[in-house]
Amino acid sequence: MIKDKVKADGLRKDVRMPKNRCGRVFWTTSLLALATATGAMAQAPADELVVTAQKREQSVQDVPLSITAFSGQQVRELGLSRPMDLANQIPGVTMKSPNGDNSPIFTIRGIGLTDFTVSNNAATSVYVDQIIKPYYPMINFSLFDLERVEVLKGPQGTLYGRNNTGGAIKFVTRKPTSEADAFMRLDYSKFDTFEFEGAVGGQIVEGLNARLSAFTRQRSKGYQYNVYTGEENGEIDRLAGRFALEWVAADNFDALLTLHGGRNRSDVPQFKLAPPFDAVAGSPTVCAAAAQGVRARDGSCVDILGHYDPDPDIDHTQSGNAQGSGI
């Protein structure tokens, strides 16, 4: 369904809200939810969301741009744990990973990058607290304790400089405040997937505020099965944390120090071979099944080296095929 009512903990212009969290099967157990809204979002009227798409605080309704914004609460409710998950929620935004699951490339309205070289700059840039992530291997971070996410479509070079032809994606983390607040979220889903997100913050002494937040996602069972080795693939082991310290020296001066880090030791998804070439042709010719958009598993369609995958199960992978060749 599409919601068009603007709320303080909602967004927006043009946001599609799924009925079933992107079709995922999950079970969630909430252990604790203790939070106090802080900052500009809490002070905004009930019909307004404040964004900084034009480098200043504005209501989302006053921004003369094609913008989609999510509050931190919506990010949690939608189950978004990585930047690439945004592509499932926003029309016109797609994502691809040319180097496995760790190097996402965003494309907005068809404008992006088709090169797999990790040293290239994409045409759609990603920012975290106004700091650009220029190379796409930097974009595989965890989403947690966010204030909001802003996706600006169309050329944004005037405000954000080069490499914003397709648009800009901004992640804004929650900052420390003088008010004490804390929250904790615990989810459990299929394949023994466990996810934790939590944060605590408040005033240490007068003029000095701090916030500590953490996130982890663990999966002990893989969703893929390698029929050649007999092993499962798809385990997840992600961990991230952030510490922010704010010094309010005067009414017109404050400084913010942020330390953040994380690691990802998850399995890389194995590919499923879908060969497009005719097995009997003398030169690479598209086979009949591939021309119709069908995956052939009978050996009539092969890759450039003559390999094919006979197993029709999409979650089954293998290191060899019926011809004894590795894939």
Side-chain angles (χ1 to χ4, degrees), residues 49-105:
L49 173 67
V50 176
V51 297
T52 55
Q54 297 191 108
K55 302 296 184 73
R56 62 182 184 273
E57 292 186 352
Q58 293 176 285
S59 168
V60 68
Q61 298 298 315
D62 297 332
V63 178
L65 303 170
S66 178
I67 176 175
T68 300
F70 295 89
S71 69
Q73 179 64 27
Q74 285 183 317
V75 170
R76 289 191 290 270
E77 291 176 352
L78 292 171
L80 310 182
S81 64
R82 298 178 298 175
M84 63 181 66
D85 295 336
L86 285 173
N88 297 325
Q89 304 297 328
I90 306 176
V93 178
T94 59
M95 188 282 305
K96 59 184 178 182
S97 297
N99 295 319
D101 199 37
N102 296 320
S103 301
I105 299 178

Side-chain angles (χ1 to χ4, degrees), residues 6-39:
V6 180
K7 299 181 180 179
D9 63 344
L11 47 145
R12 81 221 165 208
K13 292 178 180 179
D14 184 32
V15 174
R16 184 173 295 273
M17 302 293 293
K19 296 181 179 179
N20 59 354
R21 288 181 59 165
C22 308
R24 298 188 307 156
V25 178
F26 67 97
W27 303 267
T28 301
T29 302
S30 297
L31 295 185
L32 175 65
L34 175 61
T36 301
T38 59

